[in-house]
Amino acid sequence: EIAGRKLWVVGGLDRVFEIGRLFRNEGIDLTHNPEFTTCEFYMAYADYEVLMQMTEELLSGMVKKLTGSYKITMESGKEVDFTPPFKRLPMMATLQRKLGVTLPEDLGSEETKEQLAGLCRDRNISCPLPHTNARLLHR
């Protein structure tokens, strides 16, 4: 299926969309609904900046349309502001600043894996096996 949609983009359709109902049976627990709807798309010439802008327009526009304002108040009383443009944070610089560490430049190295594993351990953050650099970084 996915290969077919990619071929449509390669074949000249610059945007291909699919909205579909899905059911996943793996990893069912109280925090995950196994039934959900997705909107998947492929877009020629779009990079992550374009995708961030589209997401920003979708979220802020939806909040404004539904509530009449870009600001909503949660049940907890906390106000969340969806006024565009959203703040963009560079992932690695922000992570290092928040953790108070400097990570090696080579994120695939054994040194990085050991440092990430130590950070998780020190902060009592569980990480399922196998402890890959990507999985540890995600935690």
Side-chain angles (χ1 to χ4, degrees):
E1 287 183 37
I2 290 174
R5 288 188 290 276
K6 287 182 181 176
L7 286 175
W8 294 338
V9 172
V10 171
L13 294 174
D14 67 343
R15 295 180 188 182
V16 178
F17 298 86
E18 178 184 14
I19 298 175
R21 295 285 304 149
L22 297 176
F23 179 84
R24 299 273 166 85
N25 197 18
E26 71 275 354
I28 294 176
D29 63 33
L30 295 177
T31 63
H32 294 87
N33 186 352
E35 298 181 42
F36 54 96
T37 302
T38 64
C39 177
E40 181 178 354
F41 66 93
Y42 295 89
M43 179 190 272
Y45 313 111
D47 62 8
Y48 76 97
E49 293 282 348
V50 172
L51 298 181
M52 285 193 301
Q53 182 178 351
M54 287 177 62
T55 303
E56 179 179 86
E57 289 171 3
L58 176 69
L59 288 174
S60 64
M62 187 169 46
V63 169
K64 177 80 169 178
K65 182 81 170 176
L66 291 172
T67 69
S69 172
Y70 288 120
K71 297 178 181 179
I72 60 173
T73 303
M74 308 300 287
E75 287 183 26
S76 66
K78 179 179 177 167
E79 184 178 80
V80 180
D81 187 353
F82 287 90
T83 304
F86 296 171
K87 185 176 183 178
R88 278 143 171 86
L89 301 172
M91 184 182 135
M92 293 308 296
T94 303
L95 183 62
Q96 291 177 97
R97 184 173 39 81
K98 291 286 188 179
L99 292 173
V101 300
T102 300
L103 294 170
E105 287 212 17
D106 180 3
L107 293 178
S109 71
E110 192 62 34
E111 176 189 1
T112 301
K113 181 193 277 186
E114 290 170 12
Q115 187 174 4
L116 292 171
L119 288 167
C120 287
R121 197 172 38 255
D122 294 346
R123 288 163 172 77
N124 294 317
I125 298 171
S126 64
C127 182
L129 296 172
H131 287 167
T132 63
N133 292 22
R135 186 172 283 175
L136 289 163
L137 186 60
H138 174 74
R139 293 296 175 172

